[in-house]
Amino acid sequence: MNKVKEYIINAFNGFCMALADSVPGVSGGTIAFILGFYDQFINSLNNLMKGTKKERIDSLKYLLKLGIGWIIGMIMAVLFLTSVFEKHIYEISSLFIGFIIFAIPLIVKEEKDVLKNKYHNIIFLIIGIIIVSAITYFNPVASSGTNVNITNLNIGLCLYIFVAAMIAISAMILPGISGSTLLLIFGLYIPIISAIKEFLHFNLSYFPVLLIFGLGILTGIALIIKFIKIALEKYRSQTVYCIIGLMLGSIYAIVMGPTTLTIPKNYMTIDTFSILFFIIGGLLILGLELIKNKIHNKKTREL
């Protein structure tokens, strides 16, 4: 029964990551950090590539559970939820802001030992805010609406898609920076989402594009994971401050998110902000925190 619960929780975590990854605003890495499994996620990816045989097997089992939830979430997002997000973008954005605002105190509490008395590292928090805010502010697609035509592949376009996928997946793994927002900047968000949707409807003409995009994702993961693992192990205080900054900066990205839709809408204002969905987002985070603590306490007792 415990294994079933663990499977469901891991799949649910992956599902939540996929929902975040599928829309501009907040990254799957942010959700992983909020829900408290970011370290396990990063270590599993690293062990899968460079661990011992046992570590690779354990990591593969964990990532498969996470991956099943992620795939289900992404398919639902592509086939159904993206239209819901566009129709109810202000409510969903309010929900995400509730996630972040309520999660940050929990993260500070969880990481208090590495944050306390190291307030000089607050500069990394400021850097995190600036990074996400700058990426959002200088997003050219929000104003131009330009998208890349991926129907006629050539060497240059293949290389462009490959590099964009590398950068986007790096952002999706890092808390705070939305990979979907970066794909918008590259003019590839709508084309790639459309390609996935067509492929799910058995239009195999988009397979080469998705293959190149997938290879870029795998390369990006291989390059970024080691960097993140070292940062968390050797410079955890600076990294956590930076992550909190990235999360705070992502609030601005979420507020501006409606301007990056297929049919752009006005950025969120106090009038379009939904206090109800903000509270729901906060309650979901508190509920997940309670579940996480119960599971942790149960595992501690079993040991």
Side-chain angles (χ1 to χ4, degrees), residues 279-299:
I279 293 172
I280 291 172
L283 291 176
L284 284 173
I285 289 298
L286 295 176
L288 290 169
E289 177 72 8
L290 287 173
I291 293 171
K292 183 182 76 173
N293 288 337
K294 282 186 177 180
I295 293 170
H296 176 75
N297 293 336
K298 192 171 184 178
K299 284 183 177 179

Side-chain angles (χ1 to χ4, degrees), residues 17 21 27-29 41 45 70 162-174 177-180 182-183 186 213-225 228:
M17 286 185 73
D21 286 333
S27 75
F41 172 58
L45 286 172
W70 192 93
F162 181 84
V163 173
M166 282 178 53
I167 297 172
I169 194 62
S170 299
M172 286 178 179
I173 292 173
L174 284 168
I177 307 176
S178 169
S180 295
L182 291 184
L183 285 179
F186 291 127
F213 190 77
L215 291 173
I217 285 175
L218 293 175
T219 305
I221 290 173
L223 292 175
I224 194 69
I225 288 302
I228 296 175

Side-chain angles (χ1 to χ4, degrees), residues 26 205 253:
V26 64
S205 64

Side-chain angles (χ1 to χ4, degrees), residues 114 118 121 226-239:
V114 299
K118 295 181 182 177
N121 287 331
K226 190 65 177 177
F227 168 77
I228 296 175
K229 191 173 187 301
I230 292 172
L232 287 171
E233 287 179 352
K234 296 186 177 181
Y235 307 99
R236 191 169 186 90
S237 177
Q238 296 92 326
T239 303

Side-chain angles (χ1 to χ4, degrees), residues 141-212:
V141 178
S143 57
S144 67
T146 303
N147 289 306
V148 175
N149 183 355
I150 61 173
T151 55
N152 298 312
L153 288 177
N154 53 55
I155 294 176
L157 181 57
C158 288
L159 184 61
Y160 182 78
I161 293 171
F162 181 84
V163 173
M166 282 178 53
I167 297 172
I169 194 62
S170 299
M172 286 178 179
I173 292 173
L174 284 168
I177 307 176
S178 169
S180 295
T181 298
L182 291 184
L183 285 179
L184 275 167
I185 293 172
F186 291 127
L188 284 171
Y189 176 72
I190 294 172
I192 292 297
I193 289 292
S194 300
I196 295 172
K197 187 179 292 186
E198 289 294 325
F199 184 75
L200 291 173
H201 286 100
F202 302 103
N203 184 348
L204 300 182
S205 64
Y206 285 93
F207 177 73
V209 172
L210 296 178
L211 177 62
I212 294 165

